[in-house]
Amino acid sequence: MVVRMRHLLAFLALSLLSPLLFAGDLSGIWVSSVSQPDGHTDREVLVLQQRGNQLTGKIERPWGSLNIHQASVDGDRFTLIAKTDDGYTITCDGALEGDKLRLAVREPNAKPYELVAVRSKTDPFLVSNVVAPPAVHDLPPNGPARTPPMGWNSWNLFAGRIDDSGMRDAGYIYLNIDDTWQGDRDGNGVIHSNNKFPDMKALADYVHSKGLKFGLYSSPGPYTCAGYEGSYGHEAQDARTYAAWGVDYLKYDWCSAGRLYPDAAMRAVYQKMAEALRATNRPIVYSLCQYGRDNVWEWGPKAGGNLWRTTGDINDTYKRMMEIADTQSAIAKYAGPGHWNDPDMLEIGNGGMITDEYRTHMNLWAIFAAPLLAGNDVRGMTEDTRSILLNKEVIAVDQDTKGVQGHRADKAGDIEYYARPLDNGDMALVVVNRADTSTSLKIPWSEMHIAEGTKVRDLWKHDDFPAREDQSFTIPAHGSLMLRMKAPQ
Ligand code: GLA
């Protein structure tokens, strides 16, 4: 009995004490702000609720939220695991030090890093009174991008490390600055570039003086994916600023708009910027980037898009490149002059694939009539990279004016055949060897209704030969052929 009593007292004491010990110490909105050399402030927000040693809440990034799935609190210290709906996971060890929260963060594909967060009364990522998107209607074609846009984009290699010091003629027309060029808005709400881009108008003039066109990037949300200023609530104003700078191309990336709108509102939200761009009377290629959600290919052109991303991000691996390629054939019919499926930018020359794989990347993107936006360091291209990106005969297939996207026509084990009809009646054919070893094969011309003796051009060897059923081709592991069959005369 005595023992029981003692337990009870101890329990009561603990129950009374625990609100003091745990006292919601961690509950609240915590914001870490890290100033970047370009003048931008990287923010990370934790919204925490503590009850005893239970910790719930979320981590907020500019592009979305990660809900806390698991957490443990031990005095002033805690560990939590937070995940997005699609499984992206962050682990965070934290400690309360006075009025600050010190955090050690681990996440995929990044070095572990530390942050210090302080309490905030408001959540800087929260938007109240979200502006309703416009009523949806079909926009007529806007004119540009009769063939898939070609150019260079800063993101795949440089990500945020892009400035105007590396401008070189990459041989492709559009020179597109991706995320992280944005600075602050002034008192009138006008967007300014940050200190990496001291004068956007001058940069655009320079790009134009080299015979190139100039592209920029923004988001329909308040923040871009990297947390920079988006166009939410400033669409018409930003469109006018871009036009005044001389922008010819806008990539518009969903990112934080996902906090404000459901996927079903995407079409209307994209239409809003399309109309703002058109109101400037400057022809601006409009690139939708919402990772292929909500069957964008069905409504992309009606929302004013000249191209739309069909998938999540590419990365510099053969596996990811082929995963993306595998989803393109089924949606081929949606592409055409002025409006293209965009399987994301090229990784050619970035070092993660072997030359044969990069050739396959180029061949497939050309057969798919994909926009060709190089994403490599054009200042130091190897001969291999140059020969792939600047293969005029492959580019000619990509840019073919008939504008019919090719598709996978046949598959036999590891060998795949992709075909694309061309404007002059020729047919382009890509034969991919997905096996991890080199292989020899004979092309079944008759099955493809190609008569024996038809003139065939090898777009890599740059020579012609007659189609013959008994001819053998050797294709290296993960490599491919690209051939062009002459139309019957
Ligand atoms: C998203 C896009 C990428 C790139 C980054 C920039 O991930 O899909 O292509 O623009 O944002 O933050």
Side-chain angles (χ1 to χ4, degrees), residues 152 157-158 163 165-168 376-381 386:
W152 179 88
L157 180 65
F158 293 102
D163 55 40
S165 61
M167 291 303 160
R168 290 290 197 283
N376 61 314
D377 189 342
V378 293
R379 296 166 303 180
M381 283 202 267
R386 192 180 296 276

Side-chain angles (χ1 to χ4, degrees), residues 155 178-179 217 225-226 251 253 255 289 291 309 313 344-345:
W155 186 256
D178 207 275
D179 205 347
Y217 165 103
C225 291
K251 172 174 168 185
D253 195 349
C255 305
C289 177
Y291 335 115
R309 279 272 299 278
D313 289 11
D344 208 355
M345 303 170 292

Side-chain angles (χ1 to χ4, degrees), residues 425-485:
D426 289 4
M427 176 77 80
L429 179 72
V430 170
V431 188
V432 179
N433 172 21
R434 293 185 81 134
D436 296 338
T437 51
S438 146
T439 192
S440 282
L441 55 88
K442 296 194 171 68
I443 296 178
W445 297 111
S446 56
E447 278 175 38
M448 290 188 253
H449 309 288
I450 305 285
E452 182 91 1
T454 298
K455 190 170 139 196
V456 180
R457 184 158 180 85
D458 184 318
L459 304 190
W460 289 96
K461 291 192 176 140
H462 309 295
D463 66 4
D464 298 324
F465 59 90
R468 275 195 356 245
E469 291 278 335
D470 62 355
Q471 184 178 359
S472 264
F473 297 84
T474 301
I475 312 182
H478 300 177
S480 51
L481 303 172
M482 189 157 190
L483 306 173
R484 183 170 178 145
M485 286 85 79

Side-chain angles (χ1 to χ4, degrees), residues 267-279:
R267 176 174 169 184
V269 171
Y270 274 99
Q271 175 191 306
K272 185 171 192 176
M273 185 50 114
E275 292 186 304
L277 294 172
R278 287 169 186 215

Side-chain angles (χ1 to χ4, degrees), residues 153-228:
N153 175 294
S154 58
W155 186 256
N156 281 358
L157 180 65
F158 293 102
R161 303 181 308 282
I162 173 71
D163 55 40
D164 77 0
S165 61
M167 291 303 160
R168 290 290 197 283
D169 185 347
Y172 290 31
I173 291 295
Y174 289 95
L175 195 151
N176 295 347
I177 309 298
D178 207 275
D179 205 347
T180 80
W181 63 265
Q182 303 87 344
D184 295 327
R185 293 186 183 279
D186 63 23
N188 297 320
V190 175
I191 186 80
H192 292 270
S193 50
N194 61 40
N195 63 29
K196 291 187 296 188
F197 296 92
D199 188 340
M200 220 34 131
K201 170 88 175 71
L203 177 57
D205 288 348
Y206 174 75
V207 170
H208 290 147
S209 78
K210 298 285 171 194
L212 299 173
K213 292 182 185 246
F214 185 59
L216 278 185
Y217 165 103
S218 189
S219 169
Y223 301 100
T224 66
C225 291
Y228 287 62

Side-chain angles (χ1 to χ4, degrees), residues 146-151 172 340-341 343 346 361-373 391-406 420 422 428 459 482 484:
R146 300 303 297 167
T147 60
M150 286 180 65
Y172 290 31
W340 307 101
N341 284 313
L346 300 170
H361 187 4
M362 185 76 182
N363 286 345
L364 287 174
W365 264 231
I367 211 90
F368 290 143
L372 296 180
L373 293 161
N391 183 329
K392 289 206 178 84
E393 295 194 69
V394 175
I395 289 174
V397 171
D398 179 76
Q399 293 290 300
D400 186 76
T401 48
K402 192 178 175 85
V404 171
Q405 176 175 334
R420 176 173 177 190
L422 303 175
L459 304 190
M482 189 157 190
R484 183 170 178 145

Side-chain angles (χ1 to χ4, degrees), residues 323-334:
E323 255 168 32
I324 291 180
D326 282 341
T327 60
Q328 300 309 295
S329 293
I331 52 175
K333 69 171 189 197
Y334 296 101

